[in-house]
Amino acid sequence: MDRFLDTFFNPVVMAKYAPDVIGGMGVTLTIAAAVIFAGIGLGLALACLRAYGLTILNFFIICYADIFRSLPPLVLILILYFGFPSIGIRLSGPMVLFVVLSLTLAAFAEEIFWAGFSSVEKGQWEAGIATGLGFTRTLAYVALPQAVRLAMPPLVNRVLAITKMTALGSAIGVAEILSTSTTAQSFSGSATPLTLSVIAYLVIFLPMVVFARWLERNSAWKSR
Amino acid sequence: MAYRPMLEIVALEKRFGSNTVLKNIDLKVAGGELVFVIGPSGSGKSTMLRCCNRLEEPTSGDIILDGRNIMSGTSRDLNRMRLQVGMVFQGFHLYPHMSVLKNVTLAQRKALKRSKPDADARAMDMLERVGLAHKANAYPAELSGGQQQRVAIARALALDPKVMLFDEPTSALDPELVGSVLKVMKDLKSKGMTMLVVSHEMAFARETADRVVFMDGGVVVEEGKPEEIFGAPKAERTRTFLSRVSS
């Protein structure tokens, strides 16, 4: 028991490396927030564009969504970080992480929002168009709010899955939670920093999971 | 009747692929007139109605609203025309994420560009007219079918349309709720609204319609005053249909 505590909960090691891991939390949170913002924004924009039903454009949107949903983000991260400098595109580690995760989240978000749009009754569109709103305003005021509402529970789950992947940054030296913890682990020779990373991830993601659960329970149409 | 048609359908044809659902339809609706369209399902009557605001794109023909052809012009012109053609659907299609008041003000604000106070005032007037002013802050899911349909009528009326189209407005309602919707329609008629109604409410047609049009197989088989169509139909097909629905 002592050995277990000493390995995972060594107070000296904890005190020494906690500041590093807390710093890593800042990096994780910043990248996660940027990824959520950009990924959802781009995904929503693509789903809206797809609603216009332009064949050629939709072909490209669907290709993009399918490709980015198929590829493991780590592969893309390694290509962008180690491969792209050879063709003259040099991105920092955090930037690579941000770009890859945003594009991946956008691909999933586009499909989720699109499923939301597809579930909006045809009659809703007709009601908007028949009252002179035209396609774009019907999209914005009638279909979009309903699609977003339908998309919320699956979207939050997907956001969770993708933002956790900020841990992939440890493969390219981004000083996020996992990276700072593994560094601390090799310096200290103790597994305690990994415990710190567990705590750090729980602090960030547990509230999001609880929020997702709450959203799922409250996603039905209500009176107000 | 002095003929300055408010709505005129000229040589309307609609094909879905190789299937012709409307063949050479001509129909005139005078200002203030209530024209009732009856016919078996699949006769094309709903499609004809939906062509009148181009929810369904006619294959050929013209739709003339108060002297202007809605088949010509830009998409912006089309949206302006659609403001002048109120449409009431079988399935109501109220916006579930908006209060009753918002449902009635949305197009006023965003398409007619009315100010919020103006739109709200107009919406309350119209809700008053359909007897639902007290439900302004309710959400569609809290209303009965009959109430939802009356809100849908108010939503269309709030845009000051020149013509109201009703596509089987009572078909999705429980029998005891039908009366409240018909009452609103009758009131509209008495206030001089031009109305084109597709419906199976034969008793209502008999009582309030100025003219009844019988459609079958994508053509207008016969039209006339209600007493002519219901009392002494000329065409065999009309007789068969009326005996089947036994109004």
Side-chain angles (χ1 to χ4, degrees):
Chain A
M1 188 62 188
D2 276 356
R3 199 165 145 200
F4 174 81
L5 284 178
D6 190 52
T7 307
F8 290 103
F9 296 93
N10 186 322
V12 179
V13 175
M14 250 188 206
K16 185 168 178 197
Y17 293 103
D20 288 355
V21 176
I22 289 170
M25 279 176 81
V27 174
T28 293
L29 272 173
T30 309
I31 295 177
V35 165
I36 291 171
F37 191 75
I40 292 180
L42 178 60
L44 186 56
L46 289 174
C48 288
L49 278 179
R50 194 171 164 187
Y52 283 84
L54 306 167
T55 316
I56 297 170
L57 185 63
N58 285 7
F59 173 77
F60 286 111
I61 293 174
I62 292 166
C63 282
Y64 161 73
D66 287 357
I67 289 170
F68 275 80
R69 289 188 305 153
S70 313
L71 288 173
L74 183 57
V75 173
L76 292 169
I77 287 170
L78 296 179
I79 289 175
L80 256 67
Y81 193 70
F82 295 111
F84 271 34
S86 323
I87 55 166
I89 301 170
R90 199 172 298 273
L91 299 171
S92 70
M95 184 51 84
V96 167
L97 195 56
F98 163 74
V99 168
V100 170
L101 294 185
S102 299
L103 289 176
T104 307
L105 178 56
F108 281 99
E110 186 279 323
E111 286 298 308
I112 290 169
F113 284 124
W114 177 247
F117 275 122
S118 306
S119 318
V120 173
E121 266 184 83
K122 195 163 157 263
Q124 293 289 313
W125 287 96
E126 292 188 344
I129 286 166
T131 48
L133 287 173
F135 188 86
T136 301
R137 281 174 294 186
T138 303
L139 174 76
Y141 299 114
V142 177
L144 186 63
Q146 299 186 52
V148 167
R149 182 140 194 176
L150 290 164
M152 256 341 204
L155 185 66
V156 172
N157 280 324
R158 185 51 65 181
V159 162
L160 267 170
I162 305 256
T163 45
K164 273 192 301 192
M165 288 184 193
T166 47
L168 294 174
S170 61
I172 53 170
V174 177
E176 45 70 62
I177 295 171
L178 185 60
S179 198
T180 50
S181 307
T182 47
T183 307
Q185 180 218 355
S186 39
F187 279 132
S188 65
S190 160
T192 299
L194 295 177
T195 310
L196 288 175
S197 76
V198 169
I199 295 168
Y201 278 117
L202 286 179
V203 166
I204 294 176
F205 289 103
L206 205 52
M208 285 176 68
V209 173
V210 171
F211 173 67
R213 194 180 290 286
W214 176 85
L215 253 186
E216 261 165 42
R217 257 206 319 271
N218 292 279
S219 60
W221 287 117
K222 283 191 315 191
S223 36
R224 70 194 58 211
Chain B
M1 195 164 296
Y3 249 70
R4 160 81 156 73
M6 183 60 90
L7 178 70
E8 191 176 357
I9 300 171
V10 185
L12 176 65
E13 189 153 306
K14 175 66 185 176
R15 282 192 295 269
F16 290 109
S18 61
N19 182 19
T20 306
V21 291
L22 293 175
K23 288 169 214 150
N24 201 28
I25 303 269
D26 288 297
L27 187 66
K28 286 179 186 163
V29 185
E33 198 182 19
L34 193 165
V35 173
F36 221 86
V37 184
I38 60 171
S41 70
S43 59
K45 53 196 194 307
S46 280
T47 307
M48 179 191 75
L49 200 72
R50 291 161 57 84
C51 281
C52 293
N53 64 356
R54 287 174 70 184
L55 269 187
E56 214 70 76
E57 195 59 33
T59 308
S60 65
D62 292 304
I63 308 286
I64 295 157
L65 176 71
D66 199 15
R68 287 171 70 189
N69 192 345
I70 75 163
M71 295 308 296
S72 57
T74 63
S75 69
R76 190 187 222 145
D77 294 335
L78 177 60
N79 283 336
R80 214 171 295 136
M81 302 276 201
R82 278 172 173 154
L83 284 166
Q84 300 172 4
V85 183
M87 178 128 192
V88 175
F89 301 89
Q90 181 178 352
F92 331 134
H93 304 327
L94 294 183
Y95 311 130
H97 57 299
M98 293 179 186
S99 69
V100 163
L101 184 67
K102 274 274 178 102
N103 263 275
V104 184
T105 54
L106 179 70
Q108 292 188 68
R109 302 267 288 122
K110 305 300 177 189
L112 274 185
K113 309 283 183 201
R114 277 189 189 142
S115 71
K116 185 168 157 46
D118 286 357
D120 284 353
R122 177 74 181 153
M124 288 313 293
D125 279 356
M126 290 304 108
L127 288 171
E128 187 77 54
R129 193 151 156 195
V130 301
L132 289 170
H134 62 292
K135 293 286 187 189
N137 293 314
Y139 278 71
E142 300 170 313
L143 304 181
S144 74
Q147 291 173 328
Q148 290 190 49
Q149 192 61 297
R150 280 144 64 200
V151 172
I153 293 172
R155 176 172 69 181
L157 286 178
L159 302 169
D160 305 313
K162 291 177 174 167
V163 178
M164 285 285 285
L165 309 174
F166 291 84
D167 188 6
E168 307 206 19
T170 57
S171 302
L173 296 177
D174 290 336
E176 76 271 21
L177 303 174
V178 169
S180 66
V181 172
L182 295 183
K183 188 164 154 273
V184 167
M185 291 170 66
K186 205 167 158 181
D187 173 62
L188 270 182
K189 157 78 180 149
S190 72
K191 295 214 164 72
M193 179 57 76
T194 307
M195 297 158 80
L196 185 56
V197 181
V198 169
S199 168
H200 296 291
E201 301 290 339
M202 300 300 172
F204 181 73
R206 221 183 259 258
E207 192 189 341
T208 49
D210 295 303
R211 259 185 315 137
V212 175
V213 173
F214 174 71
M215 282 180 72
D216 193 12
V219 295
V220 172
V221 175
E222 173 167 12
E223 61 173 284
K225 295 198 179 313
E227 53 272 24
E228 293 167 6
I229 299 291
F230 293 117
K234 292 189 206 84
E236 178 57 39
R237 278 196 278 178
T238 317
R239 277 198 289 274
T240 315
F241 172 74
L242 287 173
S243 70
R244 233 182 289 141
V245 296
S246 64
S247 60

